[in-house]
């Protein structure tokens, strides 16, 4: 062997030894009473935070805030509809880079609880399921049905490629992985849960698996042999009793979702819960050695069209708002709240001996951007793509469209007054006659009919239908198609021969704008504003009606004058010095051409 070869071989061996030394694996196991990390008792003080609800550029800053409050762990779902938006096309880039989210948590000294179940609930569109599952004939979510399991397997193996190497037993920081999600509230098929367990293991998740359910559903939802975590209670005695009853008479004891607050939906007052109501309860749970995952520690924002909705036979359709502030310890913009401060004091009492909390990062600066002018516009009827023609109206799903809007167009004979009825409208429709808005229908109020007087002659009838968010919880997961899902009737007669125009608004860069002019129909408006410095801000939409806002191509979410949310959070990370572009889709108040910013949010104003 030459000296050169010998040196090369030595270098290769040395590099291999160094790499092995860097990859320190840990053990994470269960004792009868506690979690064991590297053989020592470990109490998880975790907070839920979802990577798509926070700009990627801000992940690290939010995690520093978690450490400052005393958390040692972060919990997150994995969202199937983000990662496989169309069948067979996967996306783990940009804000979908969940592996990078986990790695940043490790760099910041945080462990991770991973919840990659295909169903997440989470006030998220279709509970995390991709819309296209509904196009698979016979597919039944959350079941042993063959087509569902095939798609589920494909998805979870892709997730496994991204995240299985980051488990604690492989040198990463993922402590535990949850299978399914509150399944006991939906069904009780233990064979289905066993299939979940098998698929997770085949995907590479060979660490500690667990289930979680509320107390009344835990008997249905847990799988013998796995830790049965409980959600939504914090009485120490009750927590321990329920888990023992479902885990062979022993612990450890884990509240997988501890709720110090709640979410909001359109038309209902903003939910807030005083921190003082929860400090004593947090103290008692931690004093009892119980581990918790705070849902939410930081809610963030449900961007774009990804909000879900609640609906059952007793409650109206309730689509959730874009803000996921949740009255959480960390507010929508990532700043510490009064609740954060009080919880931090409680957690500080339970730190290991000799450990102190890092200082709280300063609140982020804010600016108010006033008098933003939108001087260009494009009427919705002027930007229509090529239509799909059909005798009867087609759903979003039949058009292979996920979110946004569909415009249904037809021509009818006028000179009549009668009732126009949209059977099974889902969810919101702007009605236009000869290009002018004449009314709206809103599923929230069980509205499906409007009285119309049509002028004499051939009349253009346009129905702009918005998907307000697919149901994310309960028995109606299987009845989640959008658009006009049955028929349109006028004066008792079915209307046929429709042209359907898909308007998903997944981007607004290709719209041809002209100088703004007065119209009485939905309109897209464009403007610019110039900044000498960037900082967080809020766009106040109180003078507007209903729609969506994009800044520099980023969809900030929906606004709706009905409230309670009246502002849209605009993070500093998406602004730039100099010129910034803003686009607004407005459905109801076409004559508004300017808006103002605010340094603070308005999340509690109903109109």
């Amino acid at each position: 062997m030459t000296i050169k070869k010998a040196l090369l071989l030595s270098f290769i061996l040395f590099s291999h030894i160094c790499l092995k030394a860097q990859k320190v694996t840990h053990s994470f196991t269960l004792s009868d009473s506690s979690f064991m990390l590297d053989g020592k008792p470990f109490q998880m003080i975790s907070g839920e935070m979802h990577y798509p609800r926070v700009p990627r550029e801000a992940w690290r800053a939010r995690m520093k805030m978690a450490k400052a409050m005393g958390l040692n762990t972060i919990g997150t779902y994995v969202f199937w509809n983000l990662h496989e938006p169309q069948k067979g096309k996967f996306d783990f880039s940009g804000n979908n880079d969940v592996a990078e989210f986990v790695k940043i948590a490790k760099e910041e000294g945080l462990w991770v609880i991973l919840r990659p179940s295909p169903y997440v609930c989470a006030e998220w569109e279709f509970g995390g399921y991709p819309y296209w599952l509904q196009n698979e004939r016979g597919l039944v979510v959350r079941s042993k049905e063959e087509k569902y399991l095939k798609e589920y397997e494909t998805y979870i193996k892709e997730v496994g490629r991204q995240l299985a190497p980051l488990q604690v037993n492989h040198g990463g920081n993922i402590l535990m992985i949850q299978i399914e999600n509150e399944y006991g509230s939906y069904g009780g098929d233990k064979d289905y849960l066993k299939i979940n367990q098998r698929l997770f293991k085949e995907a590479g998740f060979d660490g500690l698996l667990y289930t979680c359910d509320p107390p009344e559903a835990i008997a249905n939802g847990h799988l013998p042999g796995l830790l049965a975590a409980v959600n939504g209670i914090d009485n120490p005695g009750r927590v321990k009793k329920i888990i023992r009853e479902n885990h062979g008479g022993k612990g450890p004891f884990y509240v997988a979702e501890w709720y110090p607050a709640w979410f909001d939906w359109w038309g209902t007052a903003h939910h807030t819960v005083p921190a003082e109501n929860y400090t004593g309860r947090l103290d008692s749970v931690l004093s009892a050695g119980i581990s918790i995952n705070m849902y939410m520690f930081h809610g963030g924002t449900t961007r774009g069209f990804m909000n879900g909705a609640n609906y059952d036979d007793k409650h109206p359709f309730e689509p959730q708002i874009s803000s996921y502030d949740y009255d959480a310890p960390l507010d929508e913009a990532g700043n510490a709240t009064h609740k954060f401060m009080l919880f931090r004091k409680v957690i500080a009492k339970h730190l290991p001996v000799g450990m102190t909390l890092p200082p709280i990062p300063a609140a982020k600066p804010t600016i108010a951007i006033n008098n933003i002018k939108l001087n260009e516009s494009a009427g919705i009827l002027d930007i229509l793509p090529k239509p799909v023609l059909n005798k009867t109206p087609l759903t979003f799903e039949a058009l292979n469209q996920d979110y946004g809007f569909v415009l249904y167009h037809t021509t009818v004979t006028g000179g009549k007054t009668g009732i126009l009825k949209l059977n099974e409208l889902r969810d919101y429709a702007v009605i236009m006659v000869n290009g002018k808005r004449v009314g709206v229908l809103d599923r929230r109020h069980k509205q499906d009919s409007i009285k119309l007087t049509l002028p004499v002659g051939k009349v253009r009838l346009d129905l702009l239908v918005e998907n307000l968010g697919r149901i994310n919880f309960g028995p109606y997961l299987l009845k989640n198609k959008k658009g006009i899902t049955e028929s349109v009737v006028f004066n008792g007669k079915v209307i046929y021969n429709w042209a359907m125009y898909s308007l998903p608004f997944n981007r607004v860069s290709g719209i041809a704008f002209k100088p703004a002019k007065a119209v009485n129909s939905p309109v897209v408006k464009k403007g610019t504003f110039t900044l000498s410095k960037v900082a967080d801000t809020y766009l106040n939409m109180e003078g507007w009606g209903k729609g969506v806002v994009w800044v520099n191509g980023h969809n900030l979410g929906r606004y709706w004058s009905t409230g309670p949310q009246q502002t849209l959070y605009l993070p500093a990370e998406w602004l730039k010095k100099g010129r910034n572009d803003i686009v607004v889709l407005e459905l109801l108040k076409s004559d508004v051409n300017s808006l103002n910013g605010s340094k603070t949010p308005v999340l509690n104003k109903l109109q």
Side-chain angles (χ1 to χ4, degrees), residues 94-300:
N95 240 94
N96 291 347
D97 191 352
V98 60
E100 182 64 15
F101 180 83
V102 171
K103 290 171 185 174
I104 292 173
K106 184 180 182 183
E107 291 168 5
E108 293 301 323
L110 290 161
W111 303 100
V112 169
I113 297 296
L114 192 69
R115 314 216 281 163
S117 164
Y119 170 72
V120 299
C121 189
E123 291 71 62
W124 193 264
E125 228 275 348
F126 201 3
Y129 284 124
Y131 86 98
W132 53 263
L133 289 179
Q134 297 185 99
N135 284 341
E136 301 288 310
R137 189 180 296 274
L139 187 149
V140 181
V141 298
R142 305 188 89 179
S143 80
K144 294 180 294 193
E145 188 277 319
E146 186 178 337
K147 289 183 179 179
Y148 170 65
L149 293 179
K150 180 176 179 290
E151 300 299 348
Y152 176 175
E153 181 179 12
T154 300
Y155 158 75
I156 204 67
K157 284 183 175 176
E158 287 291 336
V159 173
R161 289 185 186 97
Q162 299 286 323
L163 295 171
L166 304 181
Q167 294 171 102
V168 67
N169 51 319
H170 294 279
N173 56 323
I174 297 174
L175 294 178
M176 288 200 305
I177 298 96
Q178 178 187 296
I179 68 165
E180 246 291 347
N181 185 49
E182 295 190 323
Y183 173 68
S185 298
Y186 188 83
D189 187 339
K190 303 292 184 180
D191 289 334
Y192 167 65
L193 288 174
K194 288 177 183 175
I195 292 169
N196 279 260
Q197 182 182 26
R198 173 178 62 80
L199 291 177
F200 270 55
K201 287 184 175 180
E202 289 174 357
F205 292 115
D206 55 358
L208 200 60
L209 303 178
Y210 74 102
T211 61
C212 77
D213 292 280
E216 66 277 6
I218 200 167
N220 280 341
H222 90 283
L223 187 62
L226 299 187
L227 175 65
V230 66
N231 289 355
I233 60 171
D234 52 18
N235 177 285
R238 190 173 176 220
V239 169
K240 291 185 175 183
K241 179 176 182 290
I242 289 171
I243 291 177
R244 284 191 183 110
E245 287 173 350
N246 293 279
H247 193 232
K250 58 189 179 181
F253 308 104
Y254 179 43
V255 180
E257 291 187 11
W258 182 69
Y259 308 114
W262 206 241
F263 61 91
D264 292 334
W265 53 92
W266 294 111
T268 302
H270 178 48
H271 293 85
T272 58
V273 183
E276 290 79 2
N277 291 10
Y278 279 89
T279 49
R281 292 153 74 168
L282 178 60
D283 191 28
S284 65
V285 167
L286 296 182
S287 295
I290 294 169
S291 291
I292 65 160
N293 179 48
M294 201 173 292
Y295 193 103
M296 299 289 295
F297 159 67
H298 173 49

Side-chain angles (χ1 to χ4, degrees), residues 25-85:
T25 59
H26 297 271
S27 65
F28 189 69
T29 56
L30 310 178
S31 78
D32 288 354
S33 58
S34 62
F35 294 107
M36 304 295 288
L37 180 60
D38 295 333
K40 298 177 182 177
F42 177 75
Q43 185 176 25
M44 271 186 290
I45 307 177
S46 176
E48 189 89 1
M49 183 172 86
H50 301 147
Y51 55 98
R53 284 176 158 138
V54 179
R56 176 183 174 132
E57 302 89 339
W59 287 345
R60 189 179 300 276
R62 303 299 193 270
M63 291 174 186
K64 289 183 184 296
M65 296 297 288
K67 289 286 287 187
M69 198 177 83
L71 302 184
N72 54 30
T73 307
I74 288 290
T76 186
Y77 285 121
V78 182
F79 300 84
W80 187 355
N81 54 11
L82 287 185
H83 297 299
E84 194 181 5

